[in-house]
Amino acid sequence: MPRPFSRLPEPLAFIRHFTPSWFAMTMGTGVLALVIAHLPWSMPGLSMLAEGLWFVAVGLFALFSLLFLLRLALFRETIWPMLLHPVQSMFLGAIPMGLAVLIKGLLLFGVPRWGEGIYALAHALWWLDAALALLGALLVPYLMFTRQHHALEKLTAVWLLPIVAPEVAASTAGALAPHLAAEAAQQLLVAGFVLWGLSLSLAFSLITLVLLRLALHKLPDTDFAATSWLPLGPLATGCLGLLSMGQAAPLAFAGTPLVSAAELARDLGLIGGLALWGAGLWWLVIATLFTRHYIRDNMPFNLGWWGFTFPLGVFALATFELQAVTGLSLFAFIGLLLAVQLAAVWTLVFSRTLAGVWHGELFQAPCLGGPGSPAVSVLSEQAG
């Protein structure tokens, strides 16, 4: 076996060339833990497996946060090139999305282990997550409009990443609100609905552009294969957020003048959730067909393959939520199929990522020069 880090482009490349795209690994691992925890059937060892994966995701988030902070502190000259890069800057949205997944896991796994005091921690972390998500949703588009260079033929769904983060935070608000005092829950849900509307409206606009780009310029290169799945993310997260916040609203606003609106939010949440789930189902099928096309072309591995995991995982969570709300066993069966597919994809991507980390070839930021820096592919650029 070759020595570790034998393909590092330079000493300390794992710090200087560290990019936010690594947080997609936290997202994929954390969402797998949540999907396993939400399986409607209990089996021996599943709860321990889910909790173990969540702890892995927490460890990854802590490690990646440290590496990213070290890059900002030790290599300040790399900050501006990263912000101006038309791909790397998009992955700033992966940071709050990874944190939101961990917060939801904290509700599932942290409370039984450490007690109800975890709710206060989760509440504080949620507001931090919402602030980071909102910052990214404003900063990155502003840079796109004023400093970065883009073209329609190079457009991919990676543009969705910074604006979907507020929607992911909103879906977490629905899970947290029932465990808070009434006033805090009301504030949380109001903020959650605002973030949901802000994010989903922009996401639909970008998905429209993605469809236009596909019609005019056909499928991107094989390096862009994982981006075919990204539009599934906001559709699934929109469904999950609408369902969870709608279910939490009547209790939070009970005894207030908004109680009738809260009950309406619950009912419309189900209708809207079903509509968004249907839109997500279409994209799930079309992305699967795209992937089969890419497999025939021998698509190469890189960090962008983590884009296969999170949208699929959130769609599985939305499916299980629909099963819980409607009681229809069909959703449980579909969710189980999605969970099995997610586990298989995660296992493949995780193993290939470990191999890339061992060799050191995944630590390379295109905006800093070096081999492969001119590449236009999302996945090669993610590899930084």
Side-chain angles (χ1 to χ4, degrees):
M1 181 176 293
R3 293 180 295 104
F5 304 131
S6 58
R7 300 175 189 171
L8 280 179
E10 62 182 69
L12 294 182
F14 57 93
I15 295 178
R16 188 171 185 269
H17 287 255
F18 184 86
T19 62
S21 57
W22 282 92
F23 285 91
M25 190 175 180
T26 299
M27 295 165 58
T29 304
V31 80
L32 177 60
L34 296 179
V35 168
I36 294 175
H38 282 85
L39 287 172
W41 304 281
S42 59
M43 293 178 60
L46 277 184
S47 60
M48 292 182 60
L49 175 61
E51 186 175 6
L53 285 169
W54 178 74
F55 275 113
V56 170
V58 171
L60 290 172
F61 188 86
L63 174 62
F64 296 159
S65 298
L66 175 61
L67 292 175
F68 192 54
L69 290 174
L70 285 175
R71 175 181 175 176
L72 298 182
L74 300 178
F75 302 101
R76 295 182 180 178
E77 74 282 359
T78 68
I79 300 175
W80 194 239
M82 177 190 66
L83 292 176
L84 294 184
H85 198 275
V87 174
Q88 288 190 30
S89 59
M90 302 298 161
F91 285 91
L92 289 171
I95 300 176
M97 283 193 283
L99 179 57
V101 172
L102 298 184
I103 293 173
K104 195 164 185 179
L106 192 62
L107 301 176
L108 289 174
F109 310 116
V111 174
R113 181 174 289 272
W114 298 299
E116 295 189 356
I118 290 298
Y119 291 134
L121 174 61
H123 188 202
L125 288 175
W126 187 89
W127 285 105
L128 171 63
D129 181 70
L132 291 175
L134 189 58
L135 176 63
L138 293 172
L139 174 63
V140 177
Y142 176 77
L143 292 175
M144 292 175 66
F145 303 154
T146 59
R147 302 300 298 271
Q148 298 176 359
H149 299 283
H150 297 274
L152 180 61
E153 63 271 17
K154 295 182 179 180
L155 165 67
T156 69
V158 75
W159 284 16
L160 288 165
L161 291 177
I163 65 168
V164 171
E167 190 180 351
V168 178
S171 67
T172 306
L176 177 59
H179 306 290
L180 301 178
E183 183 177 355
Q186 293 165 15
Q187 295 174 354
L188 195 75
L189 289 176
V190 169
F193 277 113
V194 170
L195 292 175
W196 183 90
L198 176 155
S199 182
L200 193 63
S201 60
L202 293 174
F204 271 121
S205 300
L206 281 180
I207 290 174
T208 302
L209 291 178
V210 170
L211 290 172
L212 177 64
R213 181 253 182 270
L214 290 172
L216 296 180
H217 302 286
K218 310 311 173 189
L219 291 179
D221 295 336
T222 54
D223 289 341
F224 291 84
T227 64
S228 301
W229 289 80
L230 296 184
L232 177 60
L235 298 174
T237 309
C239 171
L240 181 61
L242 205 57
L243 286 169
S244 61
M245 289 191 295
Q247 293 297 309
L251 177 62
F253 289 95
T256 72
L258 294 177
V259 63
S260 58
E263 293 173 351
L264 181 62
R266 177 194 58 203
D267 298 335
L268 291 180
L270 176 58
I271 298 173
L274 285 169
L276 288 171
W277 189 88
L281 181 62
W282 182 91
W283 204 276
L284 172 70
V285 174
I286 203 71
T288 301
L289 295 175
F290 287 166
T291 303
R292 291 189 64 183
H293 175 86
Y294 282 122
I295 290 175
R296 290 196 297 268
D297 293 338
N298 298 318
M299 59 182 182
F301 172 78
N302 35 61
L303 270 182
W305 280 29
W306 283 102
F308 291 116
T309 59
F310 187 73
L312 182 60
V314 177
F315 192 66
L317 290 176
T319 304
F320 286 139
E321 187 72 15
L322 279 172
Q323 188 275 329
V325 174
T326 64
L328 296 176
S329 57
L330 175 63
F331 287 118
F333 177 71
I334 296 175
L336 177 61
L337 294 179
L338 294 171
V340 172
Q341 182 182 358
L342 173 63
V345 172
W346 180 89
T347 301
L348 173 63
V349 178
F350 188 78
S351 62
R352 298 291 293 271
T353 302
L354 290 182
V357 170
W358 177 268
H359 297 307
E361 60 195 9
L362 294 181
F363 296 100
Q364 185 176 307
C367 67
L368 302 182
S373 59
V376 297
S377 74
V378 171
L379 304 183
S380 296
E381 288 169 326
Q382 283 185 47

